Amino acid sequence: MPYVTPVAMPYVTPIALSSVIPIALPSSVSTQPVARSLARPLALPNVLPIHIPAKLRTIIKAMRQSVQLLTATSSACLICGNTDSRSRHPRFISLCTPCFRQIPWITRIECDVCGRPEYCPDCPRRSDAAFLCNRSAVRYNTRIREWLALYKYRGHEALAPLFGEMLTAAYQGLVKELRPRELRNETTETLYPIDALIPVPVSSERLAEREFNQAERLGAYLAERVQIPLHHVMQRTRHSGKQSYKTRGARLRDTHNLFTADPALTASLLTARNQSHIRLIIVDDIYTTGSTANACATALAEEIRRQRPAVFVELFILTLARS
């Protein structure tokens, strides 16, 4: 065979790998990793040698930025990777101010039932709502869709506390709205107490796919943040597929009898809150037509009435985003 002159390959500093990033989540949230990740920063030099090819240089820089975004203790903005601490938003310190300004907060409510910030064609047609109202933190626009996709489908668990804080803002707005007008400027939340949070369950197929329930994670964060118990009383009776791909009519048909309330867990909830009037919040990530929320609220209300006919129950929906 002809002699081939060996080519000198550029030296790249070895990479230190581990298994899981320690993400700071509430103690009530499962710590089972959604995806294998890096535990500590890559051992890459801040200044790359000149002889490294341009394509490899780009890859190394992208890897360094990815590690910054995935590391729980990183000072980098969770969205854009900006490491300048001076650009941090004072309340949402995991974001730089420019990324915070991209959040489409709902600041004005047009529909008192679903919390929509513009005219709502759905609620006037609904005659059987099992809940009093829904309130959402943000609009479900392209930006929020991208952020949720990072969290739900790509294992970006560091976004969980950010979404939890966004939901907390919606909760605080709901509680303030429900108070008597003369007490709305009071800071204590006991003036209109919420007795428990109920996460919307996912099917076993969806749980196996993602390895976590985003509504449960949101509810667990909020429960710890505002010191309200989280009760997993709801069960899904079947797998219904992704609702985002369906028309309003298909959603309504698919969510009929989609949920049931576990009798024993419901009894435990009622025993723990042994009173004649209880207020419960059902937690989910996205509100679109309200069919999922209403189906869940209907099943819960029916089980409570079956067990305690004399109990007066108020059900509210709290979601991260309003579509």
Side-chain angles (χ1 to χ4, degrees):
M1 295 183 62
Y3 176 75
V4 179
T5 304
V7 178
M9 297 296 291
Y11 174 75
V12 181
T13 307
I15 298 175
L17 298 178
S18 186
S19 57
V20 181
I21 295 178
I23 301 296
L25 293 173
S27 58
S28 55
V29 179
S30 170
T31 57
Q32 181 180 4
V34 172
R36 293 291 178 183
S37 306
L38 302 173
R40 55 182 182 273
L42 300 182
L44 296 174
N46 291 328
V47 180
L48 299 176
I50 298 177
H51 63 266
I52 292 182
K55 288 185 178 180
L56 184 56
R57 182 185 299 271
T58 301
I59 292 173
I60 293 174
K61 288 182 177 180
M63 292 173 67
R64 181 189 292 129
Q65 185 180 46
S66 297
V67 172
Q68 289 176 339
L69 292 175
L70 289 169
T71 304
T73 58
S74 172
S75 61
C77 171
L78 286 176
I79 303 302
C80 70
N82 184 352
T83 57
D84 185 359
S85 60
R86 294 171 298 179
S87 69
R88 285 291 168 274
H89 188 271
R91 178 178 176 185
F92 291 79
I93 59 174
S94 61
L95 295 181
C96 64
T97 299
C99 284
F100 173 82
R101 289 173 180 164
Q102 297 180 39
I103 298 177
W105 295 103
I106 294 178
T107 57
R108 180 183 61 85
I109 294 173
E110 185 69 25
C111 180
D112 291 334
V113 178
C114 71
R116 199 167 188 167
E118 62 271 334
Y119 170 73
C120 173
D122 297 325
C123 291
R125 291 184 286 176
R126 182 181 291 115
S127 59
D128 59 344
F131 59 91
L132 292 177
C133 68
N134 166 75
R135 291 298 178 263
S136 305
V138 298
R139 295 171 181 262
Y140 186 61
N141 66 358
T142 302
R143 184 67 60 191
I144 296 300
R145 186 184 301 114
E146 291 172 352
W147 293 5
L148 278 171
L150 287 173
Y151 175 58
K152 292 165 65 173
Y153 309 119
R154 302 178 190 174
H156 198 341
E157 291 194 37
L159 286 168
L162 170 63
F163 292 147
E165 282 301 313
M166 292 165 67
L167 190 72
T168 300
Y171 167 81
Q172 292 169 341
L174 172 62
V175 170
K176 183 177 181 179
E177 184 181 346
L178 294 175
R179 293 174 186 163
R181 187 173 298 274
E182 64 274 12
L183 298 176
R184 287 183 180 177
N185 291 327
E186 298 291 333
T187 56
T188 176
E189 294 174 357
T190 59
L191 292 174
Y192 199 96
I194 300 297
D195 296 293
L197 304 175
I198 315 291
V200 172
V202 297
S203 65
S204 56
E205 290 87 349
R206 187 72 68 237
L207 188 61
E209 175 187 332
R210 295 180 190 159
E211 298 188 8
F212 72 102
N213 175 3
Q214 65 277 5
E216 180 183 353
R217 292 278 181 91
L218 287 168
Y221 187 97
L222 179 62
E224 184 168 300
R225 183 76 162 72
V226 300
Q227 295 299 295
I228 295 177
L230 183 72
H231 288 264
H232 300 81
V233 303
M234 302 306 299
Q235 297 175 342
R236 212 174 186 103
T237 60
R238 64 185 184 276
H239 180 60
S240 59
K242 293 184 178 180
Q243 297 296 314
S244 57
Y245 298 148
K246 299 174 183 176
T247 63
R248 181 180 183 275
R251 289 170 187 257
L252 294 173
R253 289 190 298 272
D254 288 353
T255 55
H256 182 65
N257 293 330
L258 182 60
F259 301 100
T260 183
D262 183 273
L265 295 177
T266 303
S268 177
L269 166 63
L270 295 173
T271 300
R273 319 302 298 180
N274 188 21
Q275 52 202 46
S276 60
H277 183 187
I278 60 174
R279 301 180 179 97
L280 307 174
I281 290 181
I282 296 173
V283 178
D284 205 359
D285 59 343
I286 303 171
Y287 185 107
T288 305
T289 63
S291 55
T292 298
N294 197 58
C296 195
T298 298
L300 179 58
E302 288 176 351
E303 183 60 29
I304 292 176
R305 283 196 297 267
R306 188 186 70 81
Q307 294 193 24
R308 301 280 185 89
V311 169
F312 178 67
V313 58
E314 291 180 293
L315 297 177
F316 305 93
I317 310 298
L318 192 68
T319 50
L320 177 66
R322 177 65 173 91
S323 178

